[in-house]
Amino acid sequence: MDLELAGAELKSVLNRLRRAQGQISGVIRMIEEGRDCEDVVTQLSAASRALDRAGFAIIATGLQQCLTDVNGEATSDESREQMRARLEKLFLSLA
């Protein structure tokens, strides 16, 4: 399944991933500095949420795109079922 993110979708996902990247860098720095455990876990939790939200945005876009093929016509029942199963597996991997 190829996923094409366009414009605002791509910008939103990239922003979330960059935010998570910054938060993970912050967690590493906090650990190296011997910061309080509660602060480290709070920052780590924020990074995890940012990654989850990016993943959910990608899956939501995939759901939208996979319901139709490149010509805008409905996909076959077999293809739809296979795609549904794959997207369900992706969704559950984030849950």
Side-chain angles (χ1 to χ4, degrees), residues 13-89:
V13 168
L14 289 175
N15 285 340
R16 290 184 193 283
L17 292 173
R18 286 187 182 107
R19 185 178 308 124
Q21 183 179 31
Q23 290 166 328
I24 290 169
S25 294
V27 168
I28 292 169
R29 190 172 41 256
M30 291 170 79
I31 291 170
E32 290 172 343
E33 294 171 356
R35 297 275 299 272
D36 181 66
C37 178
E38 187 175 345
D39 293 340
V40 172
V41 171
T42 299
Q43 189 70 11
L44 191 56
S45 176
S48 178
R49 281 192 307 275
L51 289 172
D52 287 345
R53 291 182 67 113
F56 287 133
I58 290 169
I59 291 171
T61 301
L63 285 170
Q64 184 178 24
Q65 290 178 3
C66 292
L67 293 177
T68 56
D69 66 12
V70 293
N71 297 323
E73 300 171 2
T75 57
S76 70
D77 288 339
E78 182 178 359
S79 295
R80 273 193 158 165
E81 183 57 30
Q82 289 173 344
M83 195 64 60
R84 187 205 59 78
R86 290 171 69 190
L87 288 168
E88 181 180 344
K89 182 178 178 181

